[in-house]
Amino acid sequence: MYTIVEGKAIAIEFIVKESDDFIINKELKTLKFKEGVLIASIKHENDIYMVNGSSVIRPFDSVVVVTRLNSVNTLKDIL
């Protein structure tokens, strides 16, 4: 976890587990993220992708989340 924007936001990297079925293989535009949450990038295998609404997160992807939320410990915390 990294504090950014003069302490007003944090950036966190998550490795998606197979058990994270609430977010796997779903277009981001279909998910209800909490206010103040941004999926900044998705790394799949060795490729890093900038995201859009049609982006899909797969098991073992690395996902960078930027948020103003204070307590984000798991991917479930952003939904």
Side-chain angles (χ1 to χ4, degrees), residues 17-79:
K17 301 173 189 163
E18 289 179 318
S19 61
D20 292 329
D21 58 349
F22 57 89
I23 202 167
I24 291 173
N25 297 322
K26 296 179 177 137
E27 289 188 341
L28 295 182
K29 65 185 171 192
T30 67
L31 300 171
K32 299 266 186 193
F33 294 103
K34 290 181 180 175
E35 187 175 332
V37 171
L38 171 73
I39 304 296
S41 66
I42 299 171
K43 180 180 177 188
H44 178 71
E45 296 177 350
N46 290 322
D47 297 318
I48 298 174
Y49 299 94
M50 299 304 292
V51 299
N52 60 48
S54 299
S55 298
V56 174
I57 296 171
R58 298 179 203 119
F60 311 110
D61 283 356
S62 170
V63 177
V64 175
V65 175
V66 176
T67 183
R68 293 179 289 143
L69 300 174
N70 292 327
S71 59
V72 176
N73 298 306
T74 68
L75 281 170
K76 280 192 176 183
D77 294 337
I78 65 172
L79 298 174

